[in-house]
Every structure is written in structure tokens, then in C-alpha cells.
Amino acid sequence: MIALVRPISERFAEAITRSPGPPPDLARARAEHAAYVAALTGLVERVIHLPRADDQPDACFVEDMVVVADGQALLGRSGARGRRAEQRAVLEALPGHLVVHALPAGALLDGGDVMRVADRIYVGLSERTNAAGFQAIEALFGPRGLDVRAVRVRDALHLKCHCSSPGRDVVLLTEGFLDPTVFDGLQLALIPPSEAWGANVVGVGDQVLMAEGHPSVRAALNAHDFDPIPLQASEIAKADGSLTCLSILVD
Ligand code: CIR
């Protein structure tokens, strides 16, 4: 497994946010990011560090720029126009074995709306991802044997804001966030809304990075025989970021 990460911009306090309250503190956000990268470095074979982009406040959220699965890389096109310039450095850093695809005109797609679980890919229809974005995922991965399903996202930026898969066929889902029947046949762990932000985790094998302070998430991970690695992510969250957003994982 290879991970791509990008440092926190000098202008991180200007990152797009729907969260009320004070902007993130740059030094603390950088400390959180450094701990995240250190933890990930211990789990993957190689970490590719993209150059810092001080003119791009959201550049650390590399996940949104591309969807990678089964040797394919589909470049996204964010519904947030101001973030599109972040993609060039991501494209240049992608490992050479990936086959790179572009979206058709009119399609919008943020990686934060795409969740792979077992042989399925869920695509959130959100402010950032439209039906044409979903159709592009379906056209690319459907013929490769993956079951691609669309889910409507309300009251959140992205699909993975309040749900994610730590690995295998397990899904952490915040209660009330989505219709749970779309996850038929998978192992669903319901997380209370008070811990919604914690339902976004990053799994590598049985090790799972999680945001600290979410006891139900930790208990669900333990119950499914994963090893939680808690990390502080409260400043990242002030920019509407969670753990998956901070890396691109490539098999
Ligand atoms: C944004 O609004 O685009 C960023 N401030 C947060 C992006 C978070 N990305 C993600 O959940 N994949």
C-alpha cells in the first residue's frame, strides 16, 4: 500500500468550512497532520509527500482530487471550483502503475463522496458530486465487477463525513445519516449522532486510524477485531476535514 499526503497550507485558516466557530489554529493543525502522517507511515510501504501549496488553503485534503481503485485512477472535478487547482500536483505524484481517467464534461466528483467496501463502491450525491459523477464511476468500475451504488447525502459535505469502512465488509454508519438498507449484506456498526465525526476512519489491514474521543467508534472497531489508533483531529475538523480526506491510498 502507498499513501499520498500533502502538508497543511500556510493559509489553512481560510479553508472552506460549514462549521460555525473559530478557524483552525495553524500550528495545532500541523501537529495533528504530522501525527497522522507518522501513524500512516508505520502502516504502509511508502508515503509520497506532495509539495506544500501555500496559496491553496484546502490542499491537504488530497482525497477529494482522485478516486483510486483496482489499478484505476479517476480524476475528480470538485463542486467547489476554488479547489480544482489542487489537482495538478496530485496527478503528477500518482504512482506510474495507475491507469488515469478523466471525467466527462459536466460531471462533478469529490473523492470524499466515494466509499469502497468489499466489492461495492458507494457514491454520495452531494453538493460536490452529481449524477454524472456517479455515472462515471459506474462506467469505470461496474465492468470491473464492482457493484456501484448511489446514495443521497443530506446535512453533510460528503458521504464519508459520517460513515466509512475500516476494512473487510464492515461499515461504520452514523445513525440517521443514510438509509441503512443500502448496506444490505454488509456488517453495519451504528454510531450515535453525538459521535458522527468519529465514523470517518482510515483502515490499513487490521489497523485503523480514528479520531480520539469517540468511545462508540472505538468499541465498534474492537468488536470487529480491528486495532484502533486514536489521533487528535479537532483542528482538522474545523476545516470540515476528517481522517480519510488527508490521504490517497493506493494498492
Ligand atoms: C472542503 O470544504 O472542501 C474542505 N474544507 C474539506 C474537505 C474534506 N474532504 C473530505 O471529506 N474528503
Side-chain angles (χ1 to χ4, degrees):
M1 180 85 77
I2 299 171
L4 283 76
V5 296
R6 194 168 198 183
I8 301 257
S9 162
E10 195 68 23
R11 287 174 49 197
F12 188 58
E14 297 166 48
I16 305 168
T17 184
R18 303 154 52 111
S19 313
D25 177 84
L26 180 60
R28 287 210 299 271
R30 285 197 166 138
E32 291 178 358
H33 190 265
Y36 174 91
V37 173
L40 205 49
T41 302
L43 302 182
V44 300
E45 287 153 40
R46 186 157 69 96
V47 177
I48 298 175
H49 297 262
L50 275 68
R52 198 167 97 188
D54 284 336
D55 55 339
Q56 296 169 358
D58 286 291
C60 60
F61 300 125
V62 284
E63 170 183 64
D64 292 322
M65 296 298 123
V66 64
V67 173
V68 176
D70 290 13
Q72 313 299 310
L74 178 61
L75 296 175
R77 181 183 296 120
S78 183
R81 297 189 74 88
R83 293 200 55 198
R84 293 184 187 171
E86 297 167 29
Q87 194 173 57
R88 174 189 280 265
V90 173
L91 174 60
E92 287 171 358
L94 285 177
H97 70 275
L98 293 173
V99 182
V100 178
H101 306 264
L103 282 174
L108 298 177
L109 181 68
D110 259 10
D113 279 316
V114 181
M115 177 170 74
R116 171 81 187 263
V117 192
D119 65 349
R120 293 190 195 162
I121 297 183
Y122 289 90
V123 182
L125 299 176
S126 71
E127 290 170 13
R128 301 285 178 87
T129 298
N130 63 10
F134 159 71
Q135 283 153 12
I137 296 263
E138 196 177 36
L140 181 59
F141 294 108
R144 290 182 164 78
L146 295 172
D147 176 359
V148 184
R149 301 185 181 192
V151 285
R152 177 71 53 190
V153 174
R154 292 191 180 84
D155 303 325
L157 175 61
H158 288 131
L159 169 65
K160 283 189 289 191
C161 284
H162 303 318
C163 78
S164 65
S165 173
R168 304 195 297 266
D169 60 347
V170 178
V171 176
L172 306 182
L173 173 66
T174 300
E175 278 181 273
F177 178 49
L178 301 170
D179 172 6
T181 61
V182 300
F183 298 108
D184 61 290
L186 301 176
Q187 299 194 68
L188 207 53
L190 290 178
I191 303 300
S194 58
E195 292 186 36
W197 211 253
N200 177 290
V201 300
V202 175
V204 181
D206 288 339
Q207 313 278 313
V208 180
L209 308 183
M210 62 165 283
E212 70 172 16
H214 298 94
S216 305
V217 174
R218 181 192 276 267
L221 293 173
N222 285 331
H224 287 279
D225 295 321
F226 290 104
D227 299 325
I229 302 174
L231 294 170
Q232 221 171 57
S234 54
E235 296 307 308
I236 303 285
K238 288 179 186 169
D240 290 350
S242 34
L243 298 182
T244 62
C245 329
L246 296 173
S247 57
I248 298 163
L249 297 180
V250 181
D251 274 326

